[in-house]
Amino acid sequence: MNAGNIIDTICKIFSGISYLLWSDLLTFRATFPNTYWPLFLVIRVIPVLLLLQLAGKAVAKRMKLNTNFFTSFFTIIYQPPVLFFLIMIMAVALRTWYSTTPLSFTEGDAACRMEIARDWLKNPKGIPGGLIWPPVHFFLLMLPSYLDFDIVSGTRFITVLLGVLTLPVLYTLVKERFSTPVALMACLLLALNPFHIKYSVLAMTEVPFLFFLLLGMLFLFRFIKTERSVYLVLSSLCLNCSGMIRFEGWIVSALLPLFIIYYNKDWKLFFAFGMMNAVSILVYMLISLKTTGHAIFGLYISNLEVKHNYEQVKEIV
């Protein structure tokens, strides 16, 4: 057996082991302990698979080997859509696993938001959150209840869904602004981000806020590229939603119109986009001023709480 045949055999073994590991991905769920199977996916299967594939590819490239079996396999695996699909599977697996652990129930704010949503469904009067918190998040939490979800599983479902859907939005945005490898890396980092994993299964605002913010940015840059007004309207709708989920969205909505000045040099569009982004902010401030006497009641209450806590700490010290 000459050197070429030996290398050919080694590469086929690499590919064969890779295929076995991929089949392992489909069967380990039935035998591995239920609680830890996503950790098994990340820690054992994926790194070993990647190392084997990289080693086999390096050997084949150095020896200028060309076998249909080996080449076709790696041609499929290293396509960006396939890699992105694998990242999506990993993101779903990690978030599904974390949702089954006791740690995913240890957030007081999430329980409070679920109770507010539950109470409003029973007695739909006024604005959920009482203007202390922007209201859109509560309406998002209520949506699964109309599909016969209970309030706990429903709020988790909508948050996990928006968390996973953030990945294709991020991938498209980064790919269009930078490159495909950068987009894949950004999605991988977000999929493995412990903060994002945790808050993807809690009834909190961070994940929905990020989803609508990135979606608004995507539509804005689509408008800058194509100058189709529908993208500008969609961007403004998403940014209004983000601003009615977290107050930080107000700052971003005020800053993003600057991109229109930078790229399009159009002051009219700049002011028009800024005014569209301010619609929900102005409505909130008018309602808040009328009902509470404070234009931004949520921030007013937060400042009172901070001041109260400071006085308590000062007394103790």
Side-chain angles (χ1 to χ4, degrees):
M1 182 180 289
N2 57 35
N5 290 333
I6 293 175
I7 299 301
D8 185 21
T9 302
I10 292 174
C11 290
K12 287 183 177 180
I13 291 173
F14 276 132
S15 296
I17 294 175
S18 295
Y19 274 124
L20 289 175
L21 283 174
W22 281 117
S23 65
D24 197 12
L25 283 172
L26 301 177
T27 59
F28 75 85
R29 177 66 176 86
T31 56
F32 204 78
N34 184 57
T35 305
Y36 301 102
W37 68 269
L39 292 180
F40 171 77
L41 168 69
V42 175
I43 294 172
R44 191 191 121 188
V45 178
I46 291 179
V48 173
L49 176 64
L50 292 176
L51 285 174
L52 287 172
Q53 291 178 346
L54 289 172
K57 190 174 182 181
V59 171
K61 184 176 180 181
R62 187 171 184 84
M63 300 302 297
K64 297 181 180 180
L65 181 67
N66 185 17
T67 62
N68 292 331
F69 177 79
F70 178 83
T71 304
S72 60
F73 177 75
F74 286 108
T75 299
I76 294 173
I77 292 299
Y78 285 97
Q79 291 295 318
V82 177
L83 291 175
F84 176 71
F85 177 72
L86 295 177
I87 291 173
M88 287 286 290
I89 291 178
M90 181 171 57
V92 173
L94 286 171
R95 284 148 183 80
T96 303
W97 163 73
Y98 187 76
S99 68
T100 65
T101 65
L103 290 174
S104 64
F105 290 93
T106 58
E107 192 68 49
D109 281 355
C112 182
R113 288 177 175 274
M114 281 193 293
E115 284 302 315
I116 291 173
R118 190 205 308 266
D119 291 343
W120 198 89
L121 285 169
K122 294 178 180 178
N123 185 25
K125 293 182 180 180
I127 298 175
L131 297 174
I132 297 175
W133 290 322
V136 167
H137 183 238
F138 296 103
F139 291 118
L140 287 174
L141 296 180
M142 296 174 201
L143 285 177
S145 297
Y146 295 104
L147 300 175
D148 293 330
F149 281 86
D150 64 87
I151 194 67
V152 175
S153 59
T155 54
R156 284 171 173 257
F157 170 77
I158 193 67
T159 312
V160 170
L161 179 64
L162 293 177
V164 172
L165 290 179
T166 302
L167 290 171
V169 174
L170 177 65
Y171 177 78
T172 306
L173 175 62
V174 178
K175 179 182 176 182
E176 292 183 1
R177 300 306 302 170
F178 299 98
S179 65
T180 299
V182 175
L184 288 170
M185 181 56 68
C187 288
L188 180 63
L189 292 175
L190 183 63
L192 296 176
N193 186 288
F195 181 88
H196 197 266
I197 293 172
K198 176 181 178 179
Y199 283 92
S200 288
V201 300
L202 295 173
M204 299 289 284
T205 58
E206 285 78 4
V207 168
F209 171 72
L210 181 62
F211 170 77
F212 283 105
L213 182 62
L214 289 176
L215 192 59
M217 293 176 65
L218 174 60
F219 286 133
L220 173 60
F221 285 114
R222 285 275 179 89
F223 167 76
I224 290 172
K225 183 178 180 180
T226 64
E227 295 190 353
R228 294 180 59 186
S229 58
V230 63
Y231 287 130
L232 197 65
V233 173
L234 290 173
S235 175
S236 182
L237 287 173
C238 293
L239 293 175
N240 274 279
C241 286
S242 70
M244 287 296 101
I245 292 175
R246 291 186 67 88
F247 289 117
E248 293 89 338
W250 295 14
I251 301 172
V252 181
S253 296
L255 294 176
L256 283 179
L258 294 174
F259 281 104
I260 293 180
I261 294 296
Y262 182 80
Y263 287 105
N264 296 70
K265 308 294 190 297
D266 192 325
W267 285 95
K268 290 182 179 179
L269 279 176
F270 166 77
F271 286 113
F273 186 50
M275 291 303 297
M276 288 193 306
N277 292 348
V279 169
S280 61
I281 299 173
L282 293 174
V283 171
Y284 172 91
M285 294 177 70
L286 288 172
I287 296 175
S288 179
L289 186 63
K290 182 178 179 180
T291 55
T292 68
H294 298 277
I296 310 176
F297 185 63
L299 297 183
Y300 169 74
I301 291 296
S302 298
N303 290 335
L304 283 183
E305 185 179 359
V306 170
K307 184 178 179 181
H308 176 68
N309 292 340
Y310 172 74
E311 294 297 334
Q312 286 184 326
V313 172
K314 190 176 179 181
E315 289 178 5
I316 295 172
V317 175

